[in-house]
Amino acid sequence: MYSEYAEVLVDEASQRRWTCSSDVAWQTIVPLPVDIEIALGQVHSELAKYAETDVEILNIWLASLADDSVVAKQFLDSARYDAMQRAEAWYLRTPSKLDRQSLPSHESVDHYLYENDRDLNDTLTKLAFIRNIFLLVNCEYLLRHAYNKADNTIFSYVIQDLARLVSFVIIYLKERLNEQPQYIDRIQSIVNIGLIKLRQDLHQSTFKESITIVFAGGRANARKLGLPIFNELIEEYCQRLFSFCFWLGIKQTSPSSVSELLIK
Amino acid sequence: MTDFSWLELACLEFNQDSKCRQLGRATIEVGFRAGDHGLLVKFHGDSIASVQRIENRDAWAAIPLVITMSPRQWSFYLRRRRTKKESSLMVFNLRNRVLKFRNPLDHLHFQRVHLTIQALVDLAANLPISLDRSIN
């Protein structure tokens, strides 16, 4: 099932490949009020870091595959290319005067992703459930609040790319579960710990603050207009996360996670 | 009531349109529903392979992705899409919950090819016919 799925995804990836140099209408980007520009820069910088993490994890996965896993390697290779494209696109959207290194980012989730990275199954579970499903929902909301055609195009393409990667990881995990049904307890534990890490990041990082400014159309209305949209995003993420858990056979997920993730 | 004849026309246009093919191949079944009836559109490769009428309420449950709107909502969405005042289906769904998936993998499948499905809907929105007359 996993290798059959890989074949479909390899074809799809080659058909839907985009490049940020030729497919994005960069000329549609016009200057915005400074508070929105800064917030957008911080959001794009954070998203670019996510994409770099994807590249690193895909490298680890590629290196771990046996030589005969040709189709899976082809897919992961194309997924790595996609991740590099989105990293480049989002770095291009980050103003150069913004010091990327100094921005507090989602460090707890990042550390958690790399913790015990010898166990690939664990790393992939974290990547799919805690990082990329969250990122997919963020992209949908950022698409809704895109300020220009260039951002609209980038988010539209990235959603297609990320959905392919998440599909592949989920199918991979489903196959692992068929071989090792007891691994389901491990997934459940990873999801519960991952949500705690995500909550820590959301409370500490500037990402939440920046994205609420983007949603609200400025700092002045960030709390009143942006925060409720961000909380809606979090609820949407949790709903999708739990639907995947349920589909994989995990019946119990931490019920307090949703409300604890919401930013009061 | 809408008879979805506008969608059948759009499917014919889709198969003639090279821009749609440039978006990449897609193999997915999409239901377009209003009430209990509507159309099942089967995308296969770089074209639409078949369009089938659905009149039976039970038939919808087996379709991986169903876009459900009232006739008035279809008319509203397409009209606003034509005048570029409305976002894509994916974004429209965040507020209006018009997309129904069999399971979460089908949701991902929609996200993988959403630009192709949107291209069909946009062709329908831009048909040189009166959508109000055709839909209501």
Side-chain angles (χ1 to χ4, degrees):
Chain A
M1 185 182 178
Y2 158 67
S3 53
E4 279 170 26
Y5 214 78
E7 268 181 50
V8 172
L9 294 177
V10 166
D11 181 56
E12 210 172 276
S14 71
Q15 289 279 315
R16 288 173 187 273
R17 183 158 285 183
W18 61 284
T19 59
C20 62
S21 56
S22 58
D23 293 313
V24 180
W26 296 103
Q27 73 281 4
T28 62
I29 299 171
V30 289
L32 295 163
V34 70
D35 53 343
I36 305 177
E37 284 288 357
I38 292 171
L40 268 175
Q42 288 176 332
V43 168
H44 288 131
S45 169
E46 186 72 23
L47 297 179
K49 284 187 218 163
Y50 289 1
E52 284 181 345
T53 307
D54 286 349
V55 173
E56 285 170 30
I57 291 175
L58 286 164
N59 280 335
I60 297 169
W61 196 358
L62 267 162
S64 76
L65 284 178
D67 288 342
D68 59 351
S69 310
V70 181
V71 187
K73 280 189 171 182
Q74 276 179 335
F75 174 69
L76 294 178
D77 202 36
S78 72
R80 183 173 55 180
Y81 171 88
D82 297 337
M84 287 157 75
Q85 280 304 307
R86 57 182 175 269
E88 192 182 338
W90 282 327
Y91 273 135
L92 284 169
R93 291 290 289 119
T94 307
S96 54
K97 57 190 167 194
L98 199 70
D99 182 357
R100 290 166 193 164
Q101 298 308 315
S102 70
L103 292 170
S105 65
H106 281 172
E107 288 178 346
S108 301
V109 169
D110 270 354
H111 289 158
Y112 189 51
L113 278 168
Y114 289 116
E115 193 182 283
N116 190 23
D117 64 3
R118 282 187 191 162
D119 190 329
L120 183 63
N121 291 346
D122 282 10
T123 307
L124 294 177
T125 304
K126 294 169 197 171
L127 181 74
F129 287 93
I130 306 303
R131 171 54 56 78
N132 282 344
I133 295 175
F134 179 66
L135 179 54
L136 263 172
V137 179
N138 272 276
C139 285
E140 285 185 34
Y141 276 83
L142 286 164
L143 180 62
R144 178 162 115 188
H145 296 273
Y147 285 86
N148 52 60
K149 199 176 171 197
D151 285 345
N152 192 305
T153 306
I154 295 168
F155 288 121
S156 294
Y157 282 131
V158 167
I159 287 167
Q160 294 195 145
D161 295 349
L162 268 176
R164 273 197 307 278
L165 177 58
V166 175
S167 301
F168 190 65
V169 176
I170 298 282
I171 291 292
Y172 172 86
L173 290 173
K174 182 92 173 163
E175 201 156 289
R176 294 288 82 74
L177 278 173
N178 290 341
E179 292 163 8
Q180 299 170 272
Q182 69 279 14
Y183 188 67
I184 204 148
D185 295 334
R186 181 80 189 129
I187 295 182
Q188 185 171 336
S189 158
I190 288 171
V191 169
N192 288 339
I193 295 170
L195 286 174
I196 293 168
K197 304 280 181 191
L198 182 60
R199 188 188 67 206
Q200 285 169 0
D201 283 343
L202 291 177
H203 282 268
Q204 288 163 11
S205 78
T206 55
F207 180 76
K208 169 203 74 189
E209 195 186 332
S210 306
I211 205 167
T212 53
I213 293 170
V214 173
F215 290 161
R219 181 173 285 280
N221 287 321
R223 192 155 188 87
K224 192 176 157 199
L225 300 178
L227 197 56
I229 299 171
F230 185 70
N231 283 337
E232 183 190 307
L233 179 161
I234 293 292
E235 284 192 53
E236 183 69 32
Y237 161 63
C238 290
Q239 206 179 335
R240 291 196 202 172
L241 173 73
F242 296 154
S243 72
F244 274 110
C245 289
F246 188 76
W247 184 74
L248 283 173
I250 300 168
K251 305 292 182 224
Q252 189 194 343
T253 40
S254 175
S256 59
S257 309
V258 184
S259 57
E260 285 176 0
L261 277 169
L262 299 181
I263 313 299
K264 304 294 179 203
Chain B
M1 161 167 176
T2 172
D3 64 358
F4 287 98
S5 55
W6 49 273
L7 185 58
E8 287 175 307
L9 280 174
C11 289
L12 291 174
E13 283 222 6
F14 183 95
N15 285 345
Q16 307 290 323
D17 192 325
S18 61
K19 280 185 192 158
C20 293
R21 275 193 291 280
Q22 282 166 15
L23 294 169
R25 288 193 282 268
T27 298
I28 188 168
E29 294 180 7
V30 185
F32 293 80
R33 179 175 183 179
D36 285 341
H37 71 280
L39 287 189
L40 170 61
V41 177
K42 292 185 179 177
F43 291 84
H44 188 81
D46 56 12
S47 62
I48 290 169
S50 69
V51 180
Q52 185 188 326
R53 289 202 169 270
I54 304 273
E55 307 287 350
N56 174 3
R57 177 182 288 198
D58 299 335
W60 293 105
I63 301 172
L65 157 62
V66 180
I67 308 167
T68 305
M69 296 194 219
S70 66
R72 181 182 283 220
Q73 211 176 7
W74 274 116
S75 172
F76 171 82
Y77 180 77
L78 294 173
R79 225 177 323 112
R80 285 180 60 88
R81 193 69 193 160
R82 178 188 280 186
T83 51
K84 301 192 191 313
K85 286 180 188 157
E86 194 53 79
S87 334
S88 62
L89 277 172
M90 180 180 283
V91 170
F92 188 70
N93 183 58
L94 290 174
R95 273 209 189 112
N96 298 283
R97 305 287 162 194
V98 295
L99 305 179
K100 298 275 182 294
F101 306 98
R102 247 181 348 189
N103 62 49
L105 261 193
D106 290 333
H107 191 161
L108 286 175
H109 195 171
F110 164 70
Q111 290 175 311
R112 278 160 39 197
V113 298
H114 74 96
L115 288 172
T116 299
I117 297 168
Q118 190 64 50
L120 172 64
V121 173
D122 288 347
L123 281 176
N126 289 296
L127 283 172
I129 56 169
S130 164
L131 287 168
D132 287 335
R133 187 175 299 170
S134 143
I135 289 176
N136 294 315

